[in-house]
Amino acid sequence: QKVPLRTMIENGWRVEHTMTETLFGSDERLTRAGEKRVEWIVTQSPEQWRTVYVVRGGSLEATEARLDSVQQYVAQLVPKGPMPAVVVTTKVPPGGSGEYLNEVHRMYRDSLPAPQLPGTPEIVN
């Protein structure tokens, strides 16, 4: 496989498998949404891409709490066999709140011209 394509694939899976701060509570433990994301990564994504990336917290303690929370949950989901890797990252994928993204989508949709059927072609003699 060509190197640029392989890199794009790896980066895509990394974005999908990155646990951002919104998936952790104030105690740096996984929220229910975070658990569902980890569950999908560990059980549904292709085996070769099952690495879970955890965005570094605001302190060493916060980062360790996040890692511990994810690792404990992964261990519950995979009681036997090799465990998917759980690693720290500093790369936060692009995104925003659902409210913001919904507003951007609404603005885009509202800016589209009204659909029109093509007119009857003019007959030129």
Side-chain angles (χ1 to χ4, degrees), residues 9-60:
I9 292 169
E10 288 172 359
N11 288 339
W13 282 110
R14 185 179 185 126
V15 166
E16 288 299 313
H17 292 183
T18 298
M19 307 297 293
T20 60
E21 68 181 45
T22 59
L23 298 171
F24 296 94
S26 59
D27 60 354
E28 302 299 346
R29 308 299 295 169
L30 283 170
T31 62
R32 185 67 187 128
E35 289 176 349
K36 295 304 283 180
R37 171 71 66 88
V38 170
E39 188 175 326
W40 185 87
I41 293 167
V42 170
T43 64
Q44 301 300 310
S45 65
E47 281 189 50
Q48 71 268 30
W49 304 114
R50 289 188 180 174
T51 299
V52 181
Y53 298 91
V54 177
V55 172
R56 185 173 59 193
S59 67
L60 180 60

Side-chain angles (χ1 to χ4, degrees), residues 35 38-40 42-43 72-80:
E35 289 176 349
V38 170
E39 188 175 326
W40 185 87
V42 170
T43 64
Q72 284 184 27
Y73 195 64
V74 168
Q76 289 176 27
L77 297 169
V78 185
K80 296 185 223 173

